[in-house]
Amino acid sequence: MTTKRERLLMFGKTLLAKLFSSLKRFPETLLICAATVTVLIILNHGNLGAGMESSESLRRLAAVLALGIPLSLCIKVFFERAPFLKIPLKILIYIAAAAGLLIYYFFLLQDFDMVAVSRYAAIILALFLAFTFIPYFFRRQNYELYVIKLFISFLVTYLYAAILFGGLSAILATISYLFSVNVPSELYLDIWLVVAGIFAPAFFLADIPEGDREFDLASYPRVISVLLNYIVMPLIVAYCAI
């Protein structure tokens, strides 16, 4: 019978293994996540005294970096589906993606008016949807189980992230109350950004199944299979094409 200490050690080893796995498989995505969180933390602290124009530029930069997260995921799962691609071609694709983000920053996100925000929301949604169907683009079998797996992993990961954030916030609030320590209010948002923007994505990405993984259909209702394969999948393809 395992003790609490042994269970805690096993849990820590599991977390480290997941972190290493996601870093190994999605290093570009996690790097972009870290860059996005860094920019948001700078904005949270008033841009270190910079002017309004610089703050607006940082907000645009954070938005474009966030757009790079699903874009890098799409590229990665596409490479996994096309292992025959040569390294020079993969590098060119990454360069083209980076150039596309730069173009978007300078020409398509000059401000945050209704048109720009609507376009941004549509593109980022399309990229996340594309990320779900690229591994199953040429074969629809068990696609719905893959989506369910992603959805459940996402919910569980961010439930843990919310609990972790709540615990850390409670610790800071207790320290501030009992010891009269001046804890800046910005620190709470910093903690949430790090937890939700770096650690949660790292653990979520570690649970993403490989493209060739097989799932058991027996435990899922057939209505979900029909809905996702013959209704949702064609709609996603049409939406992303538009």
Side-chain angles (χ1 to χ4, degrees), residues 64 104 121 145 157 195 224 239:
V64 172
Y104 193 90
L145 306 186
T157 298
V195 170
I224 296 179
Y239 176 81

Side-chain angles (χ1 to χ4, degrees), residues 79 86-98:
F79 287 166
K86 303 297 183 181
I87 293 181
L89 181 57
K90 291 182 178 181
I91 294 175
L92 285 177
I93 292 175
Y94 276 123
I95 293 175

Side-chain angles (χ1 to χ4, degrees), residues 25 73-74 76-82 128-150 207-217 220 225 228-230 232-234 236-237:
R25 189 179 176 194
L73 289 174
C74 290
K76 182 62 178 182
V77 294
F78 172 71
F79 287 166
E80 291 180 348
R81 292 287 292 148
F128 275 115
L129 293 176
F131 165 67
T132 68
F133 75 72
I134 286 176
Y136 286 82
F137 188 76
F138 295 108
R139 55 184 179 91
R140 295 184 180 181
Q141 184 178 6
N142 296 340
Y143 169 70
E144 69 280 4
L145 306 186
Y146 177 76
V147 173
I148 292 172
K149 167 65 177 175
L150 292 181
D207 287 332
I208 294 178
E210 298 286 347
D212 56 353
R213 177 177 171 181
E214 296 296 334
F215 293 90
D216 183 16
L217 283 168
Y220 292 90
S225 174
L228 290 175
N229 277 327
Y230 300 102
V232 176
M233 181 73 162
I236 289 176
V237 173

